[in-house]
Amino acid sequence: MKKLFLVLVLMFLVVYTWFNYSSKTVGYVYNPITNADDYLSEKKTTLNLVTFNILGNVDKAFQYFSRLGIKFVIGPSMSTDGMKILPYLKKYKMLSISPTISSTKLLNSGYFYSFTPSNLQIIDAFKKYLKLFEVNRILLVLDNNNREYADEFKSLLNVFAGNYVYYDDISSLFSVETSQFDAVILTTIGTESAKIVKYIRTKDDDVRIIVSEAAFTPEFLSLGGSVVVNTYAVVPSLSVRNTETELIEECERLLTDHRFLSIEQMKRFLSRSIINTKEGYLYFTPYGISQKIGLYKVIEGQFKEVYSE
């Protein structure tokens, strides 16, 4: 009888430890050039986040995650950083839940889930809206710091005539004549996109400029000011009403509400279930999270929807 009691006590302690510590211990991978580190300073977290700056030693970080028994990682936010951790997710059998990764390759890998739809869906929306504008020639300004994300936009050149340029800084555009194009499409983050729009407008007031969800940020509006008025954006519905840090909160909420025992359990759950977010109920498809992707325009200092699917 005493042995049985001891076994029950040990079982209780194991379950208690798992529920109160192990299941709440999650990796958190961030890049300081995004707003993901702001989430840490806001101290909203209910999980035990083990943080890692992607600029550090990825191998050592994931060895440490593995020793702690971590199965789930929140972040990173950029697809190029997702590529850096993909081999380690595979090696240590972990899953990443990202706020904003949209690389079709990563989302099809089986190791990433994101609260942003895949580029496959986003680029299809771009095609639709470009045809709506009767665009023939496009210039793609591709973020050289996030090629895994930006390069997928090259598929637009299979449909529309045009060209592309990799962007590091404004000097990347010095040799480009924007008047040759009907539309310029930016895949850069908000701060850089504001600089690009300002530069283009000093040369060409007429060309249509369309940004991706990467630039759909308060910084784009505040830094761009009156210059970015009439700029268009193609953006998924969750990104419209939520900042990067708020989408990180959704990632954390998913892991807090559902204490998954294994990555297989989480995959089964997400393949069969509708999840509750602040914006309503959503579900995951083989191509990413299901969301409407709308067309927005900067009017009076704000992004305002002008067309929806």
Side-chain angles (χ1 to χ4, degrees):
M1 192 67 180
K2 187 180 291 186
K3 287 184 178 180
L4 178 61
F5 176 74
L6 287 173
V7 169
L8 291 173
V9 169
L10 286 173
M11 289 176 62
F12 172 79
L13 289 174
V14 169
V15 172
Y16 180 85
T17 302
W18 176 84
F19 189 82
N20 287 281
Y21 180 75
S22 298
S23 72
K24 292 175 65 176
T25 302
V26 174
Y28 186 89
V29 179
Y30 69 96
N31 189 318
I33 73 169
T34 74
N35 293 319
D37 56 341
D38 293 344
Y39 187 75
L40 299 173
S41 62
E42 291 170 5
K43 297 181 179 178
K44 291 181 179 180
T45 181
T46 57
L47 297 173
N48 303 317
L49 297 182
V50 182
T51 63
F52 169 60
N53 182 332
I54 194 66
L55 303 180
N57 188 313
V58 182
D59 188 23
K60 286 184 178 179
F62 275 80
Q63 284 183 34
Y64 184 55
F65 287 172
S66 180
R67 287 200 300 272
L68 294 178
I70 288 173
K71 294 297 180 186
F72 305 103
V73 175
I74 293 175
S77 298
M78 297 173 66
S79 295
T80 192
D81 294 332
M83 280 301 296
K84 292 178 184 177
I85 72 168
L86 178 58
Y88 300 96
L89 295 176
K90 292 179 178 179
K91 180 178 180 178
Y92 295 110
K93 295 181 173 56
M94 299 177 190
L95 281 185
S96 163
I97 304 93
S98 171
T100 53
I101 277 179
S102 60
S103 161
T104 303
K105 180 178 179 180
L106 289 178
L107 295 181
N108 286 346
S109 70
Y111 290 90
F112 287 87
Y113 289 88
S114 177
F115 279 87
T116 299
S118 73
N119 277 346
L120 188 67
Q121 299 173 72
I122 292 169
I123 291 167
D124 279 347
F126 263 95
K127 292 175 185 175
K128 172 183 174 180
Y129 295 130
L130 288 169
K131 289 176 180 177
L132 188 70
F133 290 137
E134 299 182 344
V135 165
N136 294 310
R137 288 183 57 79
I138 62 173
L139 173 67
L140 300 175
V141 180
L142 304 177
D143 188 345
N144 202 27
N145 292 312
N146 196 9
R147 282 200 179 193
E148 187 62 37
Y149 162 76
D151 276 350
E152 292 184 351
F153 281 79
K154 288 181 185 176
S155 64
L156 286 170
L157 295 173
N158 296 329
V159 180
F160 302 93
N163 207 342
Y164 68 88
V165 60
Y166 284 114
Y167 177 87
D168 290 298
D169 53 41
I170 288 298
S171 65
S172 305
L173 303 176
F174 285 173
S175 62
V176 177
E177 185 53 64
T178 57
S179 62
Q180 299 177 18
F181 305 96
D182 303 314
V184 178
I185 296 168
L186 311 184
T187 67
T188 41
I189 61 174
T191 51
E192 295 305 315
S193 293
K195 295 176 187 176
I196 294 169
V197 174
K198 285 183 176 182
Y199 174 73
I200 291 174
R201 289 302 179 221
T202 64
K203 301 174 63 180
D204 189 340
D205 276 335
D206 298 323
V207 69
R208 195 184 304 273
I209 301 175
I210 309 172
V211 302
S212 72
E213 81 286 350
F216 198 89
T217 64
E219 292 83 5
F220 176 77
L221 296 173
S222 61
L223 291 173
S226 61
V227 178
V228 299
V229 169
N230 295 327
T231 300
Y232 288 88
V234 175
V235 187
S237 58
L238 264 185
S239 299
V240 171
R241 292 178 289 272
N242 294 275
T243 63
E244 179 187 356
T245 56
E246 287 170 326
L247 290 177
I248 292 171
E249 195 172 343
E250 290 289 357
C251 297
E252 181 169 356
R253 182 181 175 190
L254 174 65
L255 294 176
T256 302
D257 290 350
H258 308 281
R259 302 288 183 85
F260 299 109
L261 291 168
S262 65
I263 64 172
E264 290 78 15
Q265 183 194 18
M266 181 176 175
K267 286 183 176 183
R268 286 194 300 270
F269 174 82
L270 293 181
S271 68
R272 301 170 183 174
S273 305
I274 295 174
I275 61 171
N276 187 14
T277 71
K278 289 192 305 182
E279 303 301 330
Y281 291 95
L282 298 172
Y283 60 93
F284 286 89
T285 74
Y287 309 103
I289 197 165
S290 176
Q291 292 180 48
K292 289 183 178 180
I293 302 174
L295 179 68
Y296 293 78
K297 186 177 182 180
V298 179
I299 301 172
E300 297 178 347
Q302 298 294 325
F303 282 110
K304 296 188 179 180
E305 189 173 28
V306 292
Y307 194 93
S308 180
E309 292 180 317

